[in-house]
Amino acid sequence: MSSQFDVVVIGAGPGGYIAAIRAAQLGKKVACIDAWADEAGNPKPGGTCTNVGCIPSKALLQSSEHFEQANHHFAEHGIELGSVKLKLENMIGRKDTVVKQNNDGILYLFKKNKVTFFSGVGAFDGKAEDGSWKISVTGKKAESLTATHVIVATGSVARALPGLPFDEKQILSNDGALRIAGVPKKLGVIGAGVIGLEMGSVWRRLGAEVTILEAMPEFLGAADVQVAKEAQKAFAKQGLKIETGVKIGEIKSTAKTVTVPYTDAKGAEQSLAVDKLIVSIGRVPFTGNLNADSVDLQLDERGFISVNEECKTNLPNVWAVGDVVRGPMLAHKAEEEGVAVAERIAGQHGHVNFDTIPWVIYTSPEIAWVGKTEQQLKAEKREIRTGSFPFLANGRARALGDTTGFAKVIADAKTDEVLGVHIIGPMASELIAEAVTIMEFKGASEDIARICHAHPTLSEALKEAALAVDKRALNF
């Protein structure tokens, strides 16, 4: 097998494996290197997203939602059950099966697209005489590759609290939070972001008493204020205890208990004792194994690989995408950058519009948005009009028995261009795609309002919200 490639991708997460496949589609000879492996040493491509992030968390969210529905909501539908029992081992097993299906799917896609896969750690090893990059692979078998172009897609890792490393037994990252052996009686979560809310929701549904501590004074500060208030109200009703504006003290951990001293928003000293503690205070770029210093690959002050708007690094023909570079740490953002870089290498004009990248939190209710919030636009002194529509008035939501939340459209007051769409409610993660499309084409709220939406569907809530921008909602 030749070790010379047009493109070598380091990392097979969403940014890396997609970049490799797209480059191969464009006629390049491509290799992809990834270090994820199971206990037996079998490769597990897909990165954090597939192995300990997006995919397994959604599997557990779905399973725990079924459990909650069976316990509390089936009777509303005329379905009566006896006692509902949780078999956590089976639930975790199903999650692992879903992950493996995705791992195997990526390996199949590599084979289908003639991408050569290397299982191991990829690192820079200097330059060859012809100016190409030398890349070493350390794994079961050591390999030495050369590449005209290198795409770094090594992703990120969970940020630990200072002096409190993850042991994945008592102090848990997103990894440990996905494989707790038994439902804890009391679970603490530090950080009310996406991971904290999703993992807190999973274990609350399964029976844990969950308390989430957040340092920021506002809950979900990145979301639209109306959405954040609706979400906080819904989560409180479900039994999630969320405290904002806290200052964490020195955490003590024993074999059975984790004690979290903190100062609450009013300045009072408090203490939280829990069986397990999930720390979800963000993620940091992972560059530790790249041997970046040896080739003078430039990192910024926060440890991200420095890139320009086209994802070019300071080194010729070396690119970087995904969590390891600036921008939101989202799998779909990484994918779009991976495609764009592959196309740029092939001489095309790859493009990523950061203004239309959707955000999703897969709690119940789901939360999704794209574009700017009302508070951001007001801070910019932008003249806007808004319209919202509650799922309570949506026929499909009533039939589903899930009427929490609303859809909200924000448009420019003069041009009617859609500047932001914010949805909290059933299937918000799916509904947001229509808003992304409209905004990508610089569409107006009137465009959404004039498009025929099937009835009865949840998507009609977005149409009605667009009609409400012009104060002519038909069903509310």
Side-chain angles (χ1 to χ4, degrees):
M1 182 189 299
S2 172
S3 61
Q4 295 181 335
F5 295 91
D6 298 320
V7 181
V8 167
V9 183
I10 304 176
Y17 89 79
I18 289 293
I21 289 170
R22 184 64 183 130
Q25 288 176 343
L26 291 166
K28 302 300 181 181
K29 184 180 180 183
V30 182
C32 187
I33 308 165
D34 191 79
W36 282 88
D38 62 20
E39 293 178 356
N42 299 311
K44 295 181 65 178
T48 292
C49 175
T50 295
N51 291 299
V52 293
C54 327
I55 302 302
S57 64
K58 302 312 159 287
L60 284 185
L61 281 160
Q62 186 65 58
S63 295
S64 62
E65 180 67 15
H66 286 323
F67 184 71
E68 176 144 295
Q69 290 292 323
N71 270 306
H72 302 292
H73 301 290
F74 275 6
E76 300 168 14
H77 296 268
I79 304 169
E80 293 192 5
L81 301 173
S83 61
V84 178
K85 295 181 180 179
L86 172 66
K87 288 191 174 181
L88 184 59
E89 185 178 345
N90 291 16
M91 188 178 287
I92 299 294
R94 176 186 177 274
K95 177 261 296 180
D96 292 340
T97 298
V98 171
V99 169
K100 188 176 187 308
Q101 289 170 342
N102 281 268
N103 297 143
D104 292 346
I106 293 168
L107 291 171
Y108 163 76
L109 289 170
F110 282 159
K111 187 176 181 180
K112 175 186 175 184
N113 290 281
K114 296 181 174 57
V115 173
T116 305
F117 177 70
F118 293 93
S119 181
V121 175
F124 286 97
D125 194 25
K127 268 193 168 185
E129 291 182 3
D130 63 358
S132 60
W133 293 100
K134 294 166 68 176
I135 304 295
S136 66
V137 182
T138 306
K140 286 184 177 179
K141 182 182 177 184
E143 304 274 359
S144 182
L145 317 179
T146 58
T148 305
H149 290 267
V150 178
I151 303 174
V152 180
T154 47
S156 62
V157 293
R159 183 195 301 274
L161 283 167
L164 192 73
F166 297 112
D167 60 17
E168 306 301 7
K169 295 178 181 178
Q170 301 295 106
I171 311 299
L172 312 173
S173 69
N174 54 296
D175 185 3
L178 289 162
R179 48 186 176 89
I180 301 174
V183 178
K185 184 177 180 182
K186 291 188 176 182
L187 175 68
V189 181
I190 297 180
V194 176
I195 295 170
L197 289 171
E198 290 184 358
M199 288 296 93
S201 293
V202 165
W203 294 106
R204 196 248 347 134
R205 293 170 189 167
L206 299 180
E209 181 183 320
V210 179
T211 301
I212 301 177
L213 303 177
E214 169 59 51
M216 298 299 290
E218 292 91 20
F219 176 65
L220 281 183
D224 189 87
V225 167
Q226 280 183 269
V227 168
K229 288 180 178 178
E230 181 77 4
Q232 191 164 17
K233 183 171 66 176
F235 295 147
K237 187 177 179 181
Q238 293 167 8
L240 271 181
K241 184 180 180 184
I242 302 171
E243 290 197 46
T244 59
V246 309
K247 293 182 180 179
I248 305 295
E250 186 179 353
I251 296 171
K252 302 290 186 183
S253 177
T254 68
K256 293 185 178 180
T257 306
V258 182
T259 304
V260 185
Y262 66 96
T263 306
D264 67 21
K266 295 179 180 179
E269 298 295 327
Q270 306 285 353
S271 182
L272 175 68
V274 294
D275 304 310
K276 308 279 185 184
L277 179 69
I278 298 172
V279 177
S280 55
I281 57 171
R283 300 181 64 80
V284 293
F286 181 63
T287 58
N289 295 332
L290 280 173
N291 198 23
D293 290 344
S294 70
V295 291
D296 295 323
L297 178 63
Q298 185 178 336
L299 308 182
D300 70 15
E301 65 280 0
R302 295 185 298 158
F304 291 93
I305 295 175
S306 297
V307 293
N308 66 7
E309 67 280 358
E310 293 189 330
C311 291
K312 291 179 180 178
T313 72
N314 64 304
L315 303 177
N317 293 343
V318 176
W319 314 70
V321 302
D323 284 7
V324 81
V325 302
R326 80 287 177 266
M329 288 185 169
L330 298 170
H332 42 284
K333 173 261 196 183
E335 290 180 345
E336 295 306 311
E337 285 183 329
V339 168
V341 166
E343 291 176 348
R344 289 163 187 156
I345 288 171
Q348 298 183 6
H349 299 281
H351 173 70
V352 181
N353 184 356
F354 280 79
D355 294 330
T356 55
I357 293 175
W359 294 72
V360 181
I361 304 175
Y362 294 86
T363 46
S364 180
E366 289 188 349
I367 301 166
W369 71 89
V370 61
K372 293 188 175 181
T373 64
E374 185 171 347
Q375 62 263 32
Q376 285 174 324
L377 291 164
K378 284 182 176 178
E380 294 174 6
K381 295 183 168 33
R382 190 82 176 259
E383 291 185 33
I384 58 173
R385 296 188 301 162
T386 67
S388 61
F389 186 83
F391 283 104
L392 186 65
N394 177 269
R396 182 69 191 279
R398 290 191 191 120
L400 289 172
D402 189 356
T403 56
T404 301
F406 57 86
K408 176 179 179 179
V409 175
I410 308 173
D412 185 278
K414 295 177 181 176
T415 67
D416 198 36
E417 180 186 347
V418 176
L419 304 175
V421 173
H422 307 269
I423 306 172
I424 176 170
M427 303 307 291
S429 58
E430 302 294 336
L431 298 176
I432 202 66
E434 178 181 354
V436 174
T437 303
I438 286 288
M439 289 181 63
E440 190 65 40
F441 284 91
K442 301 291 183 183
S445 70
E446 186 70 8
D447 292 321
I448 303 174
R450 291 289 179 183
I451 295 169
C452 183
H453 290 65
H455 176 77
T457 60
L458 297 170
S459 67
E460 288 176 288
L462 184 57
K463 175 186 175 79
E464 291 277 358
L467 284 165
V469 170
D470 193 40
K471 295 182 169 54
R472 65 178 205 269
L474 298 170
N475 285 283
F476 185 69

